[in-house]
């Protein structure tokens, strides 16, 4: 490398991020040392100071390394740090930083909320951020943020939040295009109004009874977990939608017409049937549909699904190409009355791939009839996967049903497989 021009040396070293590597390079030669200030990124892993035995505080070491950089654009700190340390770093590099990622780790430390200046407050000095990622956040009071006008990506992973604090934080980021809140606890009711938002993933941890209202006219991709009431009115750009609730129940969904929707996933233990039927009605243009819900029924009453007309279902979703259906939902679709009077011209025009999960031998004859109908009317069907999951029964009907599925697979081995 000694024979390379300085510009090439600078470019090669600029690919480094790890703080230990950067510190080592400063000791190699003067040429390398003089190249270090041109680095744009600096990364301190979780164990950056595990073996450090020096007298100087780690915050001071980070400060000195940042001070050595001419124009730092990306800072990632997973190692422990203090509010004072963060404040000093951002005082140096705050205006040049474009990307900031911090492992705050103060979820159980309520005393930090009483500090005059918390770690969250310190971030306000980085006015020109384009992306901000935070891990392990306690946000029970509104952060003292003015406005991050250039911020386009905000990610918060593992957080304890209060509604008002989260609302204030989002108001300080008016031009977000991507929002991720993953493993967040404490949210009860939140309204999000972000006119530029395109990608949104919300994962609320807890009882699964949160309420969500979204006003984001440019939204293209939305994933929601842990909400019982969901209202999203402006959906003209929405192409991918996933709604799940692993802990609670989905009582109400309120969407505009999902004319651009190509992918829909609905999952959970219990959905009100009105919510399911509305989602299926709105998503008439969907190409990929995933359905895994165990029970319906209002409030605490768990009920089986009503019969879903096989012909009407596929007529209502003429663009459907991939269909994944699980357990109780498949049982609702395979009721015998759905296939009694099928019109001679009926076809499933676009269906190419089907994945079916079967959990019970009940109504085996009707289920086999539905499997046969999918092959008969799905003129473009090229793949059918049948997953037999936890089928437990002391009765011989389970064995008989499994034998029927195996026979069905042998007769259609080019298309059907058992998983």
């Amino acid at each position: 490398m000694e024979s390379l021009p300085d510009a090439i040396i600078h470019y090669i070293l600029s690919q480094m991020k790890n703080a230990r590597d950067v510190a080592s390079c400063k000791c190699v030669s003067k040429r390398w040392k003089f190249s270090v200030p041109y680095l744009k990124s600096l990364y301190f892993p979780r164990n950056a100071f595990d073996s450090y035995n020096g007298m100087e505080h780690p915050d001071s070491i980070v400060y000195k390394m940042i001070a050595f950089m001419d124009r730092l654009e990306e800072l990632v700190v997973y190692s422990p740090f203090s509010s004072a340390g963060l404040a000093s770093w951002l005082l140096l590099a705050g205006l040049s930083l474009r990307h900031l990622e911090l492992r705050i780790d103060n979820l159980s430390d309520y005393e930090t909320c009483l500090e005059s200046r918390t770690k969250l407050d310190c971030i306000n000095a980085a006015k020109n951020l384009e992306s901000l990622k935070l891990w392990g956040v306690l946000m029970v009071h509104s952060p003292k943020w003015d406005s991050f006008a250039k911020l386009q990506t905000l990610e918060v992973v593992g957080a304890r939040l209060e509604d008002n604090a989260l609302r204030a934080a989002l108001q300080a980021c008016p031009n977000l295009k991507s929002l991720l809140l993953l493993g967040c606890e404490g949210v009860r009711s939140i309204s999000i109004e972000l006119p530029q938002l395109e990608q949104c993933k919300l994962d609320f941890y807890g009882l699964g009874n949160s309420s969500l209202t979204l006003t984001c006219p440019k939204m293209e991709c939305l994933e929601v977990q842990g909400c019982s009431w969901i209202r999203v009115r402006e959906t003209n750009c929405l192409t991918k939608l996933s709604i799940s609730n692993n802990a609670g129940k989905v009582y109400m969904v309120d969407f505009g017409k999902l004319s651009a929707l190509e992918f829909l996933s609905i999952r959970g233990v219990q959905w009100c049937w009105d919510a399911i039927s509305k989602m299926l009605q709105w998503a008439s243009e969907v190409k990929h549909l995933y359905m895994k819900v165990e029970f319906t029924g209002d409030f605490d009453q768990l009920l089986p699904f009503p019969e879903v007309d096989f012909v009407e279902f596929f007529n209502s979703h003429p663009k459907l190409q991939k269909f994944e259906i699980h357990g109780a939902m498949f049982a609702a679709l395979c009721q015998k009355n759905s296939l009694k009077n099928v019109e001679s011209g009926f076809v499933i025009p676009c269906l190419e791939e089907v994945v079916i999960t079967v959990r019970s031998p009940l109504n085996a004859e009707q289920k086999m009839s539905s499997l046969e109908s999918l092959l008969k009317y799905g003129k473009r069907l090229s793949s059918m996967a049948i997953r037999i999951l936890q089928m437990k029964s002391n009765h011989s009907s389970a064995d008989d049903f499994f034998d029927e599925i195996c026979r069905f697979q042998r007769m259609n081995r080019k298309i059907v497989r058992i998983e």
Side-chain angles (χ1 to χ4, degrees):
M1 288 182 68
E2 290 301 321
S3 63
L4 295 176
D6 287 346
I8 301 297
I9 295 290
H10 293 167
Y11 176 77
I12 293 173
L13 297 182
S14 70
Q15 306 304 307
M16 292 189 308
K17 295 183 179 182
N18 193 290
R20 287 181 176 177
D21 296 337
V22 173
S24 299
C25 283
K26 290 175 63 178
C27 304
V28 172
S29 67
K30 288 185 178 181
R31 288 185 75 201
W32 285 35
K33 181 178 180 180
F34 294 151
S35 297
V36 169
Y38 297 97
L39 297 181
K40 301 297 184 183
S41 302
L42 201 53
Y43 164 57
F44 292 86
R46 185 70 172 170
N47 61 348
F49 298 100
D50 283 359
S51 58
Y52 174 68
N53 296 317
M55 298 295 293
E56 197 169 11
H57 194 278
D59 284 355
S60 299
I61 297 175
V62 177
Y63 177 88
K64 288 183 177 180
M65 293 193 68
I66 293 175
F68 204 75
M69 309 293 175
D70 283 347
R71 187 174 177 82
L72 190 65
E73 295 185 359
E74 180 182 21
L75 176 63
V76 179
V77 183
Y78 286 169
S79 58
F81 61 90
S82 66
S83 297
L86 179 60
S88 65
W89 309 337
L90 297 185
L91 185 63
L92 279 176
L95 295 181
S96 65
L97 279 180
R98 298 292 180 268
H99 311 283
L100 179 62
E101 184 169 354
L102 301 172
R103 192 178 187 109
I104 295 181
D105 280 349
N106 66 344
L107 275 174
S108 59
D109 189 4
Y110 280 97
E111 292 182 2
T112 59
C113 300
L114 305 178
E115 295 178 357
S116 59
R117 194 177 191 191
T118 66
K119 293 177 183 178
L120 286 177
D121 296 339
C122 296
I123 297 173
N124 190 55
K127 298 290 187 182
N128 295 316
L129 285 178
E130 296 174 6
S131 72
L132 174 61
K133 300 180 181 181
L134 304 172
W135 298 72
V137 180
L138 179 63
M139 190 189 295
V140 295
H141 299 296
S142 300
K144 296 176 183 178
W145 293 350
D146 296 330
S147 178
F148 296 103
K150 297 182 180 180
L151 193 68
Q152 297 187 1
T153 300
L154 175 63
E155 297 184 9
V156 180
V157 180
R160 187 171 300 160
L161 309 171
E162 291 290 340
D163 294 347
N164 292 335
L166 176 58
R167 189 176 296 109
L170 295 178
Q171 287 175 350
C173 312
N175 298 312
L176 283 181
K177 290 186 177 181
S178 177
L179 173 64
L180 183 147
L181 303 176
L182 182 61
C184 295
E185 183 180 3
V187 175
R188 294 178 293 276
S189 178
I190 186 66
S191 178
I192 299 175
E193 298 184 27
L194 293 169
Q196 305 300 324
L197 194 66
E198 298 174 359
Q199 311 286 327
C200 184
K201 183 174 182 178
L202 307 174
D203 177 18
F204 298 133
Y205 176 77
L207 299 177
N209 58 353
S210 300
S211 174
L212 173 68
T213 301
L214 285 175
T215 305
C216 307
K218 294 186 178 181
M219 183 85 71
E220 296 177 1
C221 176
L222 174 62
E223 297 180 50
V224 181
Q225 201 291 127
C227 289
S228 291
W229 294 269
I230 303 169
R231 177 174 283 108
V232 186
R233 295 303 298 164
E234 299 181 73
T235 57
N236 291 333
C237 298
L238 195 61
T239 60
K240 182 178 180 180
L241 174 61
S242 176
I243 302 175
S244 63
N245 197 331
N246 299 328
K249 307 173 181 64
V250 177
Y251 293 120
M252 187 275 290
V253 290
D254 186 7
F255 285 78
K257 183 172 175 57
L258 299 169
S259 56
L261 195 68
E262 297 183 358
F263 172 83
L264 172 63
S265 172
I266 57 175
R267 293 170 293 152
V269 177
Q270 181 183 0
W271 279 54
C272 289
W273 180 248
D274 182 65
I276 294 177
S277 58
K278 283 183 177 179
M279 288 305 310
L280 293 177
Q281 179 182 349
W282 292 324
S284 59
E285 306 296 309
V286 72
K287 295 179 181 179
H288 183 177
L289 178 60
Y290 181 95
M291 302 176 69
K292 181 183 177 181
V293 181
E294 299 298 332
F295 299 98
T296 183
D298 298 332
F299 302 103
D300 293 331
Q301 189 176 17
L302 298 177
L303 297 175
F305 291 94
E307 179 177 331
V308 178
D309 189 278
F310 184 94
V311 175
E312 182 180 338
F313 176 85
F314 286 104
N315 280 338
S316 300
H317 301 89
K319 297 181 180 180
L320 192 61
Q321 296 176 3
K322 184 175 181 179
F323 185 34
E324 300 181 62
I325 189 167
H326 187 283
M329 297 294 293
F330 177 60
L333 186 65
C334 69
Q335 297 294 325
K336 58 183 178 181
N337 293 331
S338 301
L339 297 169
K340 277 186 175 179
N341 299 306
V342 180
E343 296 179 2
S344 58
F346 170 69
V347 294
I348 307 174
C350 298
L351 191 63
E352 298 175 358
E353 183 177 353
V354 176
V355 180
I356 300 169
T357 301
V358 181
R359 299 187 61 179
S360 169
L362 296 177
N363 301 318
E365 182 181 350
Q366 298 169 19
K367 292 175 180 177
M368 292 306 304
S369 176
S370 292
L371 293 175
E372 292 166 357
S373 296
L374 285 169
L375 280 182
K376 179 180 179 181
Y377 300 111
K379 300 302 182 183
R380 298 177 60 181
L381 191 65
S382 59
S383 173
M384 176 186 288
I386 304 174
R387 297 172 179 169
I388 301 175
L389 182 64
Q390 297 176 345
M391 188 183 293
K392 297 179 181 179
S393 175
N394 295 326
H395 197 271
S396 60
S397 59
D399 294 334
D400 294 341
F401 184 36
F402 183 75
D403 290 341
E404 283 293 308
I405 292 177
C406 291
R407 181 188 61 81
F408 176 73
Q409 187 274 331
R410 289 194 299 270
M411 293 178 62
N412 305 279
R413 60 172 56 92
K414 291 183 178 181
I415 296 176
V416 181
R417 68 183 186 275
I418 298 176
E419 297 181 350

